[in-house]
Amino acid sequence: GLLCASAAATASSGVVDTKEALKAKFQELRDAGKPAKEAAAVALEAIWRTPSGPTRVERAAGIHDHSSEQEWRPLRTVGPLEDCLHSLLATIYWRDQGWGNAKGCVRAVLRREGTPCVAEADLFGISPHETERSRRYLDAIDGHKPGKGDTIAFEYMVGGGGGHQLHIDSFEVAYSTGRPMAELPACSREEVLAKLMDAYEERVAGGMTPDDAVAALLSDTSAKAAAVRAAATSSTDTPAMGKAAPASPPPTSPSSARATMAAPTPAASKAETQAYLKAKFAEYVQAGMAPAEAAAKMLEGAKRLESRSG
């Protein structure tokens, strides 16, 4: 067989499209059988926990393979990773010969310290007859978390038997590394997901498609603030699992929060202190801070207030 490549694989840096990553994760969870509202909440929480560090983008283009062989061939390699993998979004535009049996496929292979295959995962299923875009969101490969120094090799197979081809017009991997922010306690996470599911259902009931609803929530600071306040209340009051925690309405803007909520005095009641902390949560989130980061910052403030009152 003959391998024809119209262009060599290239690499570049850029910023991943967060909305596309969210939609891919949302679809993956729905395909796995999760109800739409639960898939939306889990996908949003995962995206909001993305590290603030840079996202790298690697690209390969112009693979047109007529070899009709049952063997894996290199497509693109990522790594060695600078830190553990946080998340990865692979996107491909591809097709096969356009007739007969479909056999083409692409996989991700985790390599570590000279071990050629620690784990592998199929990315997109079998190649289509007509050109299509396929995507896959990953944060691990077959249950194995890629770590610092690891390499992820992407490989394709045309498929044997005569007449098979694989045409990859473009292949892109956008990935971020770094330790994810600390998880909230389990009860807090339940409250966060419950708030997000409610917000998702409201938008779908208002006429949005599932994809549009989950995308709208990505930049909805009021929904984000409500989720964070739910976590704050749950962390502070420690309610029973699944019990909704009370939350006050978010301030209309960071400036209004600062204007109406002064730091409590050492003699302030517990309720006054909690109200102040929840307002600070909303202020941090509306200013663009990630929810988990806002939670950590608020807890630091809570410790300072506690030490001052003691």
Side-chain angles (χ1 to χ4, degrees):
L2 176 65
L3 173 65
C4 301
S6 62
T10 59
S12 63
S13 296
V15 178
V16 67
D17 187 331
T18 306
K19 188 174 292 186
E20 289 298 305
L22 173 64
K23 288 183 177 180
K25 182 65 175 176
F26 177 54
Q27 190 59 52
E28 178 186 339
L29 292 167
R30 293 191 70 184
D31 290 344
K34 282 190 180 294
K37 67 176 183 179
E38 184 179 348
V42 172
L44 276 163
E45 187 205 25
I47 295 299
W48 281 348
R49 292 185 189 281
T50 300
S52 57
T55 295
R56 303 184 185 281
V57 179
E58 303 285 349
R59 297 185 176 94
I63 302 296
H64 300 283
D65 195 331
H66 299 249
S67 63
S68 190
E69 293 180 358
Q70 196 77 13
E71 66 177 32
W72 291 106
R73 295 188 170 183
L75 177 58
R76 188 67 192 159
T77 299
V78 168
L81 299 178
E82 297 176 356
D83 204 335
C84 66
L85 179 72
H86 180 274
S87 58
L88 178 153
L89 177 64
T91 305
I92 191 172
Y93 285 84
W94 66 331
R95 65 177 177 87
D96 64 8
Q97 68 280 353
W99 54 272
N101 293 329
K103 294 186 177 181
C105 51
V106 176
R107 70 175 181 176
V109 180
L110 176 60
R111 296 174 178 169
R112 177 177 296 160
E113 297 179 349
T115 303
C117 183
V118 175
E120 63 178 84
D122 175 73
L123 290 183
F124 312 112
I126 300 300
S127 56
H129 282 336
E130 302 293 334
T131 300
E132 290 182 5
R133 181 184 73 165
S134 300
R135 297 178 299 173
R136 178 73 183 277
Y137 179 97
L138 294 173
D139 54 17
I141 297 176
D142 193 26
H144 294 261
K145 188 76 170 178
K148 183 177 181 180
D150 288 352
T151 297
I152 304 173
F154 297 93
E155 303 173 338
Y156 71 91
M157 180 186 293
V158 178
H164 291 286
Q165 304 172 17
L166 191 63
H167 302 274
I168 300 175
D169 295 330
S170 68
F171 176 75
E172 177 181 286
V173 179
Y175 67 99
S176 58
T177 58
R179 305 288 171 179
M181 294 178 181
E183 291 287 337
L184 292 168
C187 55
S188 298
R189 184 171 187 270
E190 284 191 1
E191 299 295 340
V192 169
L193 296 180
K195 288 290 184 182
L196 293 176
M197 285 190 276
D198 288 345
Y200 170 83
E201 286 193 312
E202 286 177 8
R203 283 154 182 78
V204 171
M208 285 189 175
T209 66
D211 274 355
D212 287 343
V214 74
L217 285 171
L218 180 65
S219 56
D220 189 329
T221 56
S222 63
K224 192 183 297 185
V228 171
R229 284 200 315 282
T233 305
S234 184
S235 297
T236 305
D237 297 340
T238 319
M241 292 287 275
K243 180 180 178 181
S248 58
T252 56
S253 68
S255 59
S256 65
R258 286 190 293 268
T260 59
M261 186 64 67
T265 66
S269 67
K270 181 180 178 180
E272 290 173 331
T273 301
Q274 288 179 0
Y276 168 76
L277 293 174
K278 286 188 284 186
K280 295 303 291 183
F281 258 116
E283 178 183 333
Y284 295 147
V285 171
Q286 289 182 358
M289 190 176 293
E293 184 181 354
K297 188 170 181 178
M298 188 285 302
L299 289 174
E300 289 178 5
K303 290 178 182 178
R304 286 196 299 269
L305 290 173
E306 184 179 358
S307 63
R308 187 179 66 176
S309 61

